[in-house]
Amino acid sequence: MTFRRVNISVVAGVVILFVSGGLCTPPAFAQDCPELVGRWPYGRADAVAVSGDYAFFGSGTVLMIADVSNPATPEIMGEVVLADSMSGIVASGDYAYVADGFSGLRVISVVNPASPTEVGAVPTP
């Protein structure tokens, strides 16, 4: 048996079309058409972590920090550009530890969530 990765945005788009009742034919069925309400700004999201009131997630090569203290209105607080797409994130205390693809482990200070900074890195073979 072979497994392959599927781009989640493509799957979500297909699901939205099926949930909404199929393909749209404007203007008669415009109320049944899916509406774009947002998108990942920088690319795929393969990693996410939550610590306290903050969610840390990768969007392409950008680590983004969102205040999720009110889940109904999450707010992007800050971001930092890394060298590669993230494959894992762990947040603990004042730091986020990022498995940064082929670039190794990155240590990000999140003391100020509006201005995260890379404070260390460990290359991995």
Side-chain angles (χ1 to χ4, degrees):
M1 179 176 269
T2 306
F3 295 96
R4 61 186 183 118
R5 276 193 132 154
V6 177
N7 185 332
I8 192 68
S9 62
V10 171
V11 173
V14 171
V15 171
I16 288 171
L17 285 177
F18 284 120
V19 171
S20 70
L23 298 175
C24 298
T25 54
F29 300 107
Q31 72 276 4
D32 296 327
C33 292
E35 176 185 347
L36 178 64
V37 294
R39 68 179 73 205
W40 291 113
Y42 304 114
R44 296 172 45 147
D46 290 329
V48 66
V50 177
S51 180
D53 290 337
Y54 295 100
F56 305 84
F57 56 96
S59 179
T61 61
V62 178
L63 174 66
M64 301 184 78
I65 301 172
D67 181 344
V68 292
S69 57
N70 181 353
T73 57
E75 180 182 351
I76 300 295
M77 300 299 294
E79 58 187 48
V80 61
V81 177
L82 301 177
D84 208 343
S85 293
M86 288 149 265
S87 57
I89 302 169
V90 174
S92 179
D94 294 336
Y95 299 96
Y97 303 91
V98 179
D100 195 29
F102 294 106
S103 299
L105 175 68
R106 303 292 182 178
V107 181
I108 311 298
S109 172
V110 294
V111 172
N112 178 1
S115 183
T117 55
E118 184 174 337
V119 294
V122 177
T124 55

